[in-house]
Amino acid sequence: MSSNPVAETVSSLMPRAKEELTALVAFKSVADFDQFPRSESVGAANWLASALRAEGFEDVALLDTPDGTQSVYGYLPGPEGAKTVLLYAHYDVQPPLDEAGWVTPPFELTERNGRWYGRGAADCKGGVLMHLLALRALKANGGVPVHVKVIAEGSEEQGTGGLERYAEQHPELLAADTIVIGDAGNFRVGLPTVTSTLRGMTLLRVKVDTLEGNLHSGQFGGAAPDALGALIRVLDSLRAEDGSTTVDGLAADSAWEGLAYDEEQFRRDARVLDGVELIGSGSVADRIWARPAVTVLGIDCPPVVGATPSVQASARALVSLRVPPGVDAVEATKLLQAHLESRTPWGARVHVEQIGQGQAFRADTTSPAYQAMADAMAVAYPGQEMQYAGQGGSIPLCNTLASLYPEAEILLIGLSEPEAQIHAVNESVSPEELERLSVAEALFLRNYAAS
């Protein structure tokens, strides 16, 4: 990184940042209190509140949101008449999955091969540290030139919408001129990226019933309708021969205009087995950022071990549909439900239940904030130009904020690049990315204040 006072300050703060991230990762802050005690999330929230108070934040509060979790809020006043920027991250994390699959313990930050490993290191406790580093660097170099609000969510990974509903009930609290969501990631390490679109999502549970009870497959198989077979037929109807998503009435031919995603690079990032084909048509970017994508998340049926020779009377599945920008998630949900119902064979009884839903998001990349970020990233990443990428995932809060504050500019950056393996075992963060993105955010706040 070039000799820049802000960059030099961030560099000097990195050992402290590692200690703080170690402390934060140690909290098992999974917002599913059947799996991990609530005290772990409360501990992480209190740690964050203390960190904000230490940086001079006012009105620091633990907000009790409607889903039973807490979001941490703080306000740092800037110069009179300055713009207001909201910085978002979340301190809750995904469950560790199979702890035996981790090379080092999931809740102990461990340095290995130049990366820091631990659950939440990138998604999104590292994002919390990114915000703190950026603000500290500005304070050490002339001060923070904008009013800053920080909001750290406590249940983002559960998708329960607590902060969304809280924000709707208290619309003045998070009002800002620009919002920086620190929960995305660079397209790859070293390539500065702003995420300009997010796919939405709908989640449906489908249950198929055919018999009053299971039957002996030798005595009745061949004429008795098999609920599991019917369900398999329904689920198979959601894909074309090439694997493309096919929901009756839902367009699936949009094209992505931004950054290209090389197919071989995608195979490596997705860790596709040799000889296994990618699914769908169009470019990789079309498929993962601009088109709908259905995924069967789970099926309830007898496990192979212990199964009996029976015709199944009942079966159910959890089906996810990622919804691209420009498609209404409510309408997509109706189409998916109608498809599942109409494609169920043999007159089987079918019941479809909606479990969750979130709209897609598209940012206005022509806004002054995007220029301010592009200039900042060019300094933080010498020789690189800011790229625009999509993200297949959903951050429903983005749409809540966009509807509450239609004039606000929303930028998505963060530490979740492909090598981070977020949501999987052995999640990690690149300390170089943390350093560079902290510099970029600090310079962005300075550029934006002057714009």
Side-chain angles (χ1 to χ4, degrees), residues 65-68 153 159-171 397 400 404:
T65 61
D67 65 353
E153 189 173 3
T160 45
L163 181 56
E164 293 155 56
R165 297 200 296 279
Y166 190 95
E168 289 163 354
Q169 294 161 8
H170 305 85
L397 179 68
T400 301
L404 286 175

Side-chain angles (χ1 to χ4, degrees), residues 1-13:
M1 203 168 304
S2 60
S3 59
N4 172 303
V6 167
E8 289 167 4
T9 301
V10 171
S11 179
S12 73
L13 290 170

Side-chain angles (χ1 to χ4, degrees), residues 236-246:
D236 184 58
S237 75
L238 293 168
R239 294 191 188 278
E241 192 68 31
D242 66 1
S244 299
T245 291
T246 52

Side-chain angles (χ1 to χ4, degrees), residues 63 72-73 84-86 88 149-151 163 166-168 170-179 397 401 404-405 408:
L63 311 177
V72 184
Y73 171 81
T84 299
V85 177
L86 175 69
Y88 166 91
K149 295 178 179 180
V150 164
I151 187 75
L163 181 56
Y166 190 95
E168 289 163 354
H170 305 85
E172 74 294 336
L173 186 73
L174 303 182
D177 298 298
T178 279
I179 299 164
L397 179 68
L401 297 176
L404 286 175
Y405 320 117

Side-chain angles (χ1 to χ4, degrees), residues 361-378:
F361 168 79
R362 178 182 280 128
D364 174 13
T365 58
T366 64
S367 65
Y370 274 80
Q371 187 57 54
M373 183 62 81
D375 293 343
M377 284 184 159

Side-chain angles (χ1 to χ4, degrees), residues 199-212:
R199 285 194 294 198
M201 185 183 75
T202 187
L203 203 57
L204 298 180
R205 188 181 288 146
V206 55
K207 185 170 185 283
V208 176
D209 296 291
T210 54
L211 306 165
E212 290 182 5

Side-chain angles (χ1 to χ4, degrees), residues 213-239:
N214 285 4
L215 299 171
H216 188 291
S217 61
Q219 190 174 357
F220 294 96
D226 169 6
L228 182 54
L231 179 63
I232 290 168
R233 275 280 179 94
V234 176
L235 298 179
D236 184 58
S237 75
L238 293 168
R239 294 191 188 278

Side-chain angles (χ1 to χ4, degrees), residues 403-428:
S403 61
L404 286 175
Y405 320 117
E407 302 301 313
E409 304 170 61
I410 301 178
L411 299 97
L412 293 103
I413 62 172
L415 298 156
S416 298
E417 37 75 27
E419 290 178 51
Q421 295 194 148
I422 64 167
H423 294 201
V425 297
N426 299 309
E427 177 183 346
S428 68

